[in-house]
Amino acid sequence: MSQPSPRTLWEAVLGRLELQVSRPSFATWLRDTTGVSFDDGRMVVSTPSTFAARWLEQRMSALVEATLSQIAGRPSTVHFQVPGMPPGPGVGSGRSAAQSYGGDGYDSQADERPPARLRGDCALNPRYTLDSFVVGESNQLAYAAAVAVSSRPGMAYNPLFLYGGVGLGKTHLLHGIGHASASRGLSCLYVSSEQFTNDFISSIQTKRTREFREKYRSVDVLLMDDIQFLRGKETVQESFFHTFNDLHNANRQIVLACDRPTSALSPIEDRIRSRLQWGLSADIQLPAQETRRAILELKAQEMSSAVPVEVFDVLAERFAGSVREMEGALNRVIAYADLTGCTIDLDVARRALGDMLAAPPEPPPSPDALLTLVCNYYAVEVQAVVSKRRDRKVALARQVAIYLLRERAQLPLKAIGEMVGNREHPSIRQAWVKIQKDRQSDSTLDLQIRAICETLP
Ligand code: ADP
Ligand code: MG
């Protein structure tokens, strides 16, 4: 008997899947897919977008593979891919994209793709636009700067340096700037610093340094992610430095993202650091509860999923530390409801998330208790710390208190300013960054901070 064509085989799989997943899910993710090839139990399926491919890979792999194996009569794997794009890690590889790269999968996956000039084709995550970025107090400056450089690239702030903790939206903003610039006809390149490094190394190995230079120095907008990974790579830094200068001299826009402020990038060559300080640095902080809720609402809307408000509340409360984790949890709830055919409610969310919901994070210490603790440790009066006194001991206690109020009590800088004698936001930031940095090189200070943290309730 002749083998059915991959297309027919996949259609049979779709026929069965249609009975097993919810209607909206089927219409959104599966209906427009096509079987491309089937060799040796390995099926390649084309999807209309990378996002759909990732979604299917991460959330429907088990069901899809079981169904295909049944119909094909042999153990089979499925690999989703967009025509013309390199395939992802594949369902059958045994590792989800999330497992392989550590985040929610998508963003890191985007980092893995070869960089593409964005005029027609697009290596940017289509969901990461400036419009789909929820603005709150925590990211206002970064967002405004992103909008400004998108509308006046090379003119407003150059370079724009975005920094903030993991999963708080830096990559999203970079992609957003990319989309906005590309839609205005500008050539745009998004790379992680790891890709830049790999590109640089392979250009040397293959004697194609000219192409390398041409590729990086001919763009209107260069978006480079996670530049903290340039640490310790001197020749790569050198190359980055030249790329930076050329682009900057030609008034091309440079946007960089990093997980820490420029001043904490001590291992990065001073030359680069001083260049970064030419432009604007904008930080992204942890979003407040209402911003987190708004993000969840938007993500649920993007997935055309009806999620009741009490589920948003629980997720926003529970996953306060990272938008990425919070989004991952929402995806999990939605996928669980999809696959089991349930309507989402609190109970379904609890079942989908299991232990993740059951173990709430340690509540941050109370700011007052923390301040008192630091003062006790350094044997200074709280009165002194909130006063104008600047002698060394008091100043150090104040700076460490500011640092811990930010890091451990997660207080916004403004609130910290009010707490330590109505000081201005910039001087609070300065103290926070200083301790963050000094701690890395000053082991005594580091020990002191650890000791204080150990006594936290
Ligand atoms: P980072 O690069 O800072 O580690 P990402 O940009 O990858 O973080 O963001 C992680 C996830 O959280 C992404 O899916 C992103 O869309 C989402 N996210 C973070 N902040 C926001 C926001 N303010 N509005 C909408 N989505 C957000
Ligand atoms: Mg990122």
Side-chain angles (χ1 to χ4, degrees), residues 156-193:
Y157 311 106
N158 205 12
L160 171 60
F161 180 79
L162 302 174
Y163 69 95
V166 175
L168 296 184
K170 300 180 297 293
T171 298
H172 186 135
L173 277 180
L174 287 189
H175 285 216
I177 296 170
H179 285 301
S181 315
S183 72
R184 302 175 67 232
L186 298 169
S187 62
C188 217
L189 186 60
Y190 167 83
V191 282
S192 70
S193 66

Side-chain angles (χ1 to χ4, degrees), residues 314-374:
V314 167
L315 295 181
E317 178 99 13
R318 169 64 186 81
F319 298 93
S322 159
V323 178
R324 177 180 294 151
E325 268 181 38
M326 181 178 79
E327 192 184 340
L330 174 71
N331 289 343
R332 199 164 154 149
V333 172
I334 293 176
Y336 180 88
D338 264 353
L339 295 172
T340 54
C342 301
T343 310
I344 298 176
D345 58 19
L346 263 185
D347 190 45
V348 167
R350 286 203 187 97
R351 268 186 280 147
L353 297 175
D355 290 349
M356 287 162 79
L357 267 196
E362 292 277 297
S366 101
D368 285 329
L370 190 57
L371 182 58
T372 311
L373 212 66
V374 174

Side-chain angles (χ1 to χ4, degrees), residues 131-422:
D131 283 344
S132 68
F133 190 80
V134 176
V135 188
E137 212 186 320
S138 58
N139 55 31
Q140 226 164 14
L141 177 64
Y143 174 78
V147 170
V149 300
S150 301
S151 52
R152 297 171 60 224
M155 315 269 284
Y157 311 106
N158 205 12
L160 171 60
F161 180 79
L162 302 174
Y163 69 95
V166 175
L168 296 184
K170 300 180 297 293
T171 298
H172 186 135
L173 277 180
L174 287 189
H175 285 216
I177 296 170
H179 285 301
S181 315
S183 72
R184 302 175 67 232
L186 298 169
S187 62
C188 217
L189 186 60
Y190 167 83
V191 282
S192 70
S193 66
E194 281 160 316
Q195 274 170 0
F196 181 85
T197 305
N198 293 343
D199 254 14
F200 172 70
I201 293 171
S202 80
S203 79
I204 293 179
Q205 284 168 347
T206 57
K207 301 197 168 47
R208 295 209 172 131
T209 48
R210 234 177 56 143
E211 276 98 329
F212 171 83
R213 275 221 303 279
E214 179 61 19
K215 170 176 164 186
Y216 281 94
R217 297 183 202 179
S218 63
V219 291
D220 297 315
V221 181
L222 176 67
L223 307 159
M224 197 189 292
D225 213 345
D226 291 322
I227 69 153
Q228 68 274 8
F229 294 127
L230 292 179
R231 288 172 80 168
K233 299 173 183 150
E234 267 120 52
T235 40
V236 185
Q237 286 181 15
E238 179 80 21
S239 163
F240 172 68
F241 182 71
H242 292 304
T243 308
F244 183 102
N245 281 348
D246 284 357
L247 288 172
H248 200 272
N249 288 341
N251 287 329
R252 308 285 172 80
Q253 181 67 46
I254 302 155
V255 187
L256 305 161
C258 188
D259 69 353
R260 63 204 74 176
T262 46
S263 46
L265 279 175
S266 45
I268 291 220
E269 228 184 334
D270 276 350
R271 287 197 296 177
I272 295 186
R273 206 170 52 227
S274 71
R275 288 290 186 271
L276 300 184
Q277 284 161 352
W278 283 351
L280 175 75
S281 284
D283 69 328
I284 306 186
Q285 297 175 19
L286 282 172
Q289 168 88 2
E290 67 270 22
T291 311
R292 298 200 296 274
R293 269 207 46 170
I295 293 174
L296 285 169
E297 272 175 43
L298 185 125
K299 302 284 176 187
Q301 225 175 47
E302 280 177 359
M303 289 192 269
S304 319
S305 204
V307 180
V309 287
E310 57 275 18
V311 172
F312 289 142
D313 287 338
V314 167
L315 295 181
E317 178 99 13
R318 169 64 186 81
F319 298 93
S322 159
V323 178
R324 177 180 294 151
E325 268 181 38
M326 181 178 79
E327 192 184 340
L330 174 71
N331 289 343
R332 199 164 154 149
V333 172
I334 293 176
Y336 180 88
D338 264 353
L339 295 172
T340 54
C342 301
T343 310
I344 298 176
D345 58 19
L346 263 185
D347 190 45
V348 167
R350 286 203 187 97
R351 268 186 280 147
L353 297 175
D355 290 349
M356 287 162 79
L357 267 196
E362 292 277 297
S366 101
D368 285 329
L370 190 57
L371 182 58
T372 311
L373 212 66
V374 174
C375 291
N376 287 344
Y377 183 85
Y378 287 108
V380 296
E381 298 287 328
V382 174
Q383 285 293 327
V385 165
V386 304
S387 74
K388 298 257 177 294
R389 272 178 54 183
R390 291 167 146 233
D391 45 289
R392 257 183 85 170
K393 196 162 141 191
V394 171
L396 176 65
R398 183 182 298 125
Q399 287 166 344
V400 170
I402 290 170
Y403 171 77
L404 287 174
L405 284 166
R406 180 75 203 108
E407 297 280 327
R408 297 301 291 254
Q410 292 166 19
L411 222 55
L413 295 178
K414 203 165 141 223
I416 300 176
E418 282 159 14
M419 210 177 149
V420 295
N422 274 328

